[in-house]
Amino acid sequence: STPADGDINGDGNVNVIDLLLATQITLGIKTATDDELVRGDVAPLESGVPAPDGVINTADLIVIQRKVFGQVSF
């Protein structure tokens, strides 16, 4: 199965591209595909591990941003 790791575009890296996609999804500019939803639904974190809640929203955007900038790792 696809992991909830923040790698929305599935290229093997969590980077600014994933941050941009999360922003577009959160703002309603883009609709996430099923795979993008699974990979990008990383919030909330429970004991530092993603506990997906079925949506990509501001909380997911913040977690992905923190992962891009090396502030969290999972």
Side-chain angles (χ1 to χ4, degrees), residues 2 6-7 13-14 17-18 22 24-28 38 42 45 49 52-53 55 61 70 74:
T2 304
D7 180 17
N13 299 296
V14 178
I17 296 168
D18 302 296
Q24 292 172 332
I25 293 165
T26 299
L27 293 174
V38 169
V42 293
L45 292 180
V49 178
D53 60 3
V55 295
L61 176 61
F74 51 82

Side-chain angles (χ1 to χ4, degrees), residues 5-70:
D5 61 4
D7 180 17
I8 295 177
N9 69 345
D11 69 353
N13 299 296
V14 178
N15 56 31
V16 70
I17 296 168
D18 302 296
L19 192 53
L20 177 60
L21 288 168
T23 301
Q24 292 172 332
I25 293 165
T26 299
L27 293 174
I29 296 168
K30 173 182 176 20
T31 301
T33 66
D34 291 343
D35 283 343
E36 289 170 338
L37 177 61
V38 169
R39 291 190 295 260
D41 183 11
V42 293
L45 292 180
E46 292 181 2
S47 301
V49 178
D53 60 3
V55 295
I56 294 177
N57 57 24
T58 304
D60 301 288
L61 176 61
I62 292 167
V63 171
I64 291 170
Q65 177 179 313
R66 291 178 65 206
K67 189 166 184 180
V68 168
F69 292 109

